[in-house]
Amino acid sequence: MPSSVPSVAVVGGGVIGLTVAWTLARRGHRVTVYDPVPARGASWAAAGMLSPAGEAWFGEESLLRLGLASLDRWPATAHDLEADAGWGPELRSEGTLLVAATDDDAGTQARLHALMASAGITHRLLSRREARALEPALHPGMHSVTEVLSDHSVNNRTLVAALLAACARRAVAFVEDTADVMTDTGTATGVRTRRAGRHRRHEVVVVANGVGLADTAGVPGWLRTAVRPVKGEILRVRTDRPALQRTVRADVRGRAVYLVPRADGEVVVGATSVERGYDTAVTAEAVHDLLHDATEVVPELRDATFVEATAGLRPAAPDHVPLVGWTGVDGLLVASGHHRGGILLAPWTADVVAALVAGDEPPAGWDTTDPRRFTGPAGAGLADLQETR
């Protein structure tokens, strides 16, 4: 194979790894994905929000810009995915409602409104009549409702299933095993599978295994400590008919809750944010709080059927900006640390990785995700950031 089109190992089969693998395969690369259980983990537990505005916060403006750039890619991504897989990720473009239950909650959201305005994100404060006309199931006593038309959603489970099918269509190979990185004199030479113990050679290795990065041998030590797990507990309930048409992100007496509807009547309710290492147990407190707040915002969900409670581990970088780029080891790329934005940022991340593999100029903003920002005198200093978070 010509050196301009190297073979690529993608370590990790979540939404980031699968989107990277599919994108590289579409561009002519031979790609192998290594994951003991592809399409599970945090990608399976997620809600599928494409919500750069709803997730925006002061101090994270660079992350907001990346989210907006990736959101722009999602319509084409959904179209191409449907062409390859035979079905799409159920992209919903009705928009998002930001709901404040109390006056104090509205004060919290006012700061978000200011940030959205500074970023040029169109939003509109609705009257109670307008809000009920859009979503009749909303509690009429909510203090304020803001419409953000640009924030969308996909069905995360349909998405990863489509990515698996699209990868198969593009001849991506899958090895259902955990893989470590093999290096020789500062250059990545491929991976070694743990169960089979086999060294499989590749010219480029992309580590995209989320919180598994910390347990991946062969990557630089500083990189293995650059991502920490943040547990998110999430629920699924189902109604006989769709309760909502739009995603609702609400603040309820200081607690955040979101409700993401599916076409079949399912509503995804989430999510907690807890730092307890690698614990993935769902607690009674989390189920209680999420259901309490969800039913306060949409009372008819009290009659919904409880379907599922699960938890996933979001991979978070110290500054909450993903780690996407070269690692300082020749031939070794990383794509991890996406925290709450893995599904949103998947198309942009894949474009960056594909450009770097090909030696092309990556999309704007890629320098902000350079993982080497945590090393050397020019970096922010990983230890310092960890102490201040």
Side-chain angles (χ1 to χ4, degrees):
M1 171 166 286
S3 59
S4 59
V5 188
S7 66
V8 183
V10 177
V11 179
V15 69
I16 295 295
L18 292 175
T19 307
V20 166
W22 173 57
T23 300
L24 288 169
R26 283 174 60 87
R27 301 186 186 189
H29 296 277
R30 287 186 294 113
V31 184
T32 303
V33 173
Y34 296 85
D35 193 300
V37 189
R40 303 294 293 190
S43 300
W44 184 256
M49 289 183 294
L50 309 178
S51 187
E55 293 282 359
W57 200 244
F58 287 99
E60 298 182 358
E61 288 82 0
S62 64
L63 184 59
L64 173 58
R65 289 191 291 272
L66 297 181
L68 292 171
S70 198
L71 183 63
D72 286 343
R73 289 166 161 79
W74 259 106
T77 297
H79 176 272
D80 292 343
L81 189 56
E82 184 170 0
D84 274 5
W87 69 90
E90 300 178 29
L91 177 65
R92 298 179 70 112
S93 57
E94 292 89 349
T96 292
L97 299 183
L98 307 179
V99 175
T102 69
D103 183 62
D104 287 343
D105 295 326
T108 298
Q109 290 197 356
R111 293 190 286 275
L112 175 58
H113 296 167
L115 181 55
M116 288 192 294
S118 69
I121 299 171
T122 301
H123 58 284
R124 181 171 69 102
L125 190 64
L126 304 178
S127 68
R128 291 189 178 184
R129 177 176 295 180
E130 290 172 322
R132 293 274 289 173
L134 288 179
E135 294 292 353
L138 280 179
H139 192 294
M142 293 292 102
H143 187 278
S144 67
V145 180
T146 302
E147 182 181 37
V148 184
L149 287 173
S150 58
D151 277 9
H152 304 325
S153 71
V154 293
N155 185 326
N156 59 296
R157 295 183 175 180
T158 303
L159 167 64
V160 292
L163 282 167
L164 285 173
C167 283
R169 164 82 191 284
R170 293 289 176 172
V172 173
F174 283 84
V175 176
E176 293 188 359
D177 199 347
T178 302
D180 293 308
V181 179
M182 299 297 295
T183 61
D184 183 13
T185 61
T187 298
T189 59
V191 302
R192 181 178 295 278
T193 56
R194 289 190 185 173
R195 191 165 56 243
R198 182 181 174 189
H199 183 187
R200 300 172 65 103
R201 294 191 173 276
H202 297 276
E203 293 162 276
V204 175
V205 179
V206 183
V207 180
N209 55 354
V211 297
L213 178 64
D215 188 43
T216 304
V219 301
W222 60 267
L223 184 57
R224 294 176 65 181
T225 61
V227 171
R228 70 189 191 280
V230 180
K231 182 170 76 171
E233 293 149 293
I234 195 165
L235 314 178
R236 282 172 166 79
V237 300
R238 190 180 303 279
T239 56
D240 292 336
R241 58 181 178 81
L244 296 167
Q245 295 300 314
R246 296 159 183 79
T247 295
V248 173
R249 300 178 63 98
D251 288 295
V252 182
R253 295 175 179 82
R255 284 199 303 245
V257 65
Y258 57 71
L259 301 92
V260 185
R262 306 291 192 231
D264 63 358
E266 183 176 270
V267 179
V268 183
V269 181
T272 62
S273 184
V274 183
E275 300 202 28
R276 291 180 182 168
Y278 291 86
D279 167 38
T280 55
V282 178
T283 66
E285 180 182 22
V287 174
H288 170 272
D289 290 349
L290 290 171
L291 288 177
H292 175 274
D293 295 345
T295 54
E296 185 159 347
V297 176
V298 180
E300 73 176 61
L301 291 181
R302 293 189 179 98
D303 296 323
T305 300
F306 188 87
V307 176
E308 178 184 295
T310 190
L313 297 175
R314 310 178 187 98
D319 57 4
H320 291 177
V321 177
L323 307 168
V324 183
W326 295 111
T327 63
V329 176
D330 288 345
L332 180 61
L333 283 156
V334 66
S336 185
H338 292 77
H339 199 204
R340 297 185 302 268
I343 291 176
L344 168 64
L345 293 169
W348 183 88
T349 299
D351 281 351
V352 171
V353 171
L356 292 174
V357 170
D360 297 332
E361 181 67 21
W366 73 275
D367 53 319
T368 65
T369 69
D370 188 339
R372 293 168 296 183
R373 66 187 183 272
F374 294 131
T375 64
L382 180 57
D384 292 340
L385 275 170
Q386 288 174 329
E387 290 175 1
T388 59
R389 297 299 297 189

